[in-house]
Amino acid sequence: MSKIKPSKGAPYARIMGVGGYRPTRVVPNEVILETIDSSDEWIRSRSGIATRHWASDEETVAAMSIEASGKAIADAGITPEQIGAVVVSTVSHFKQTPAIATEIAHKIGAGKPAAFDISAGCAGFGYGLTLAKGMVVEGSAEYVLVIGVERLSDLTDLEDRATAFLFGDGAGAVIVGPAKEPMIGPTVWGSEGDKSETIKQTESWEAYRNGSLAKFPAITQEGQAVFRWAVFEMAKVAKEALDAAGLSPDDLDVFIPHQANERIIDSMVKTLKLPAHVTVARDVRTTGNTSAASIPLAMERLLATGEAKSGDTALVIGFGAGLVYAATVVTLP
């Protein structure tokens, strides 16, 4: 028989607060059209995107994260010192080490929490949320700060007609803490590595270091392949997450998918047969695709505008490079 004492965590976990930060510069499609042969109508019809935010030199990954985190901490009604872990999902922090989470933890005054980064692309928020739930229930942290943050403008090829208009910058954060009833459902997550070439960085940092590249590495994708995968396969994953939570589409109040493309969102809504009463996040129209930041940013906007309210039941799903995905049902803070 084991002599190890059982963990003393909470019976369940919940999202307690949410915060977001969007860079001050708003970039309309007209700016994108300066470097690609397209039109505003084509961009809107293909993606739904009218504007996106691009960060200034001062709006670093850390700076945006700190702003979003401060709002989430205040919304949760806790102090930074109570945070036991900081999890940051990003693909656009350009230092291999140390983890940007450690800098963020220090600058928000969190003391000495566990702090680490994860790389799961556009599913990164879902991965971080799942890890945070486990920490709270296991007892290794009472409160966990989960951040999704990107400066994708640094990884955008403005001459690539397929992707130049897609990406934006920003940070979204949530506080995960203890609950007395289930408020974060089981996560359905996974990967399909055989499709890893469909969304990728054009070249390695090694190739850039060796001076063999004419351009800085950027993100590229096979648009049609990604669209088909997201529409058909991710709708199945979303349904599995509902089933795992013991719910049906009729039980939902809100749907917050990764803000990749409005056509993908519309197709998923149709495939899932979501009722008319379900509020659907469409933050992509003015924020663009912010990868790991897109779900918490969309969540914050829905709550701020009153389109969603505290206590609503929401299905969230992220999917992207890898290809990776994560879906779960949550109660909104």
Side-chain angles (χ1 to χ4, degrees), residues 218-235:
I219 296 173
T220 187
Q221 68 176 28
E222 298 174 16
Q224 287 302 314
V226 173
F227 181 87
R228 289 192 297 270
W229 176 77
V231 168
F232 297 108
E233 298 304 319
M234 291 305 97

Side-chain angles (χ1 to χ4, degrees), residues 201 203-213 217:
Q201 185 170 305
E203 299 288 347
S204 69
W205 298 123
E206 182 180 27
Y208 182 73
R209 181 192 65 185
N210 293 340
S212 60
L213 301 182

Side-chain angles (χ1 to χ4, degrees), residues 286-329:
T286 56
T287 306
N289 179 343
T290 56
S291 189
S294 79
I295 290 174
L297 279 174
M299 183 183 295
E300 186 223 24
R301 174 160 284 173
L302 290 175
L303 289 167
T305 60
E307 295 173 82
K309 63 183 185 300
S310 174
D312 278 353
T313 300
L315 169 63
V316 299
I317 178 169
F319 45 86
L323 293 171
V324 295
Y325 55 88
T328 188
V329 178

Side-chain angles (χ1 to χ4, degrees), residues 1-329:
M1 179 179 293
S2 174
K3 297 180 181 179
I4 300 173
K5 292 182 179 180
S7 300
K8 294 183 178 180
Y12 304 104
R14 63 184 173 122
I15 299 175
M16 299 177 60
V18 60
Y21 180 82
R22 293 171 175 82
T24 55
R25 184 187 177 192
V26 177
V27 179
N29 288 338
E30 285 72 21
V31 172
I32 307 299
L33 296 175
E34 294 174 3
T35 52
I36 61 171
D37 180 17
S38 188
S39 67
D40 177 66
E41 181 183 5
W42 187 87
I43 293 174
R44 289 177 188 248
S45 66
R46 300 288 291 183
S47 67
I49 299 171
T51 61
R52 74 285 291 146
H53 296 254
W54 283 355
S56 66
D57 290 344
E58 292 75 27
E59 291 168 317
T60 63
V61 167
M64 292 190 293
S65 297
I66 290 165
E67 290 291 331
S69 298
K71 295 176 183 178
I73 292 167
D75 193 40
I78 66 169
T79 64
E81 294 83 0
Q82 292 176 277
I83 295 170
V86 177
V87 182
V88 178
S89 177
T90 184
V91 299
S92 46
H93 171 53
F94 289 164
K95 287 185 178 179
Q96 193 72 36
T97 192
I100 194 64
T102 58
E103 178 184 340
I104 294 166
H106 171 67
K107 288 185 175 178
I108 65 172
K112 298 180 180 180
F116 58 94
D117 300 348
I118 59 174
S119 177
C122 304
F125 175 74
Y127 275 48
L129 183 65
T130 302
L131 294 173
K133 173 187 173 183
M135 285 184 253
V136 171
V137 173
E138 188 270 340
S140 58
E142 185 175 12
Y143 300 103
V144 181
L145 171 61
V146 180
I147 303 166
V149 57
E150 301 292 2
R151 275 181 53 118
L152 294 182
S153 58
D154 291 335
L155 286 167
T156 299
D157 180 354
L158 294 178
E159 296 179 348
D160 180 359
R161 190 172 184 271
T163 62
F165 59 91
L166 286 175
F167 302 121
D169 304 335
V174 300
I175 296 293
V176 177
K180 295 181 180 179
E181 58 182 332
M183 300 179 80
I184 301 176
T187 300
V188 177
W189 58 352
S191 65
E192 297 185 31
D194 60 314
K195 300 179 180 65
S196 62
E197 292 294 302
T198 56
I199 307 174
K200 64 180 182 179
Q201 185 170 305
T202 50
E203 299 288 347
S204 69
W205 298 123
E206 182 180 27
Y208 182 73
R209 181 192 65 185
N210 293 340
S212 60
L213 301 182
K215 285 185 176 181
F216 191 74
I219 296 173
T220 187
Q221 68 176 28
E222 298 174 16
Q224 287 302 314
V226 173
F227 181 87
R228 289 192 297 270
W229 176 77
V231 168
F232 297 108
E233 298 304 319
M234 291 305 97
K236 296 176 186 176
V237 171
K239 181 63 169 60
E240 288 178 31
L242 282 173
D243 291 341
L247 302 175
S248 72
D250 290 336
D251 296 313
L252 289 177
D253 301 302
V254 185
F255 179 45
I256 311 178
H258 164 49
Q259 301 294 291
N261 179 309
E262 192 166 35
R263 289 175 62 210
I264 292 175
I265 295 171
D266 288 340
S267 296
M268 291 182 71
V269 168
K270 183 177 180 180
T271 302
L272 287 168
K273 299 179 180 179
L274 294 184
H277 74 262
V278 176
T279 297
V280 179
R282 299 184 185 279
D283 195 43
V284 67
R285 293 172 177 172
T286 56
T287 306
N289 179 343
T290 56
S291 189
S294 79
I295 290 174
L297 279 174
M299 183 183 295
E300 186 223 24
R301 174 160 284 173
L302 290 175
L303 289 167
T305 60
E307 295 173 82
K309 63 183 185 300
S310 174
D312 278 353
T313 300
L315 169 63
V316 299
I317 178 169
F319 45 86
L323 293 171
V324 295
Y325 55 88
T328 188
V329 178

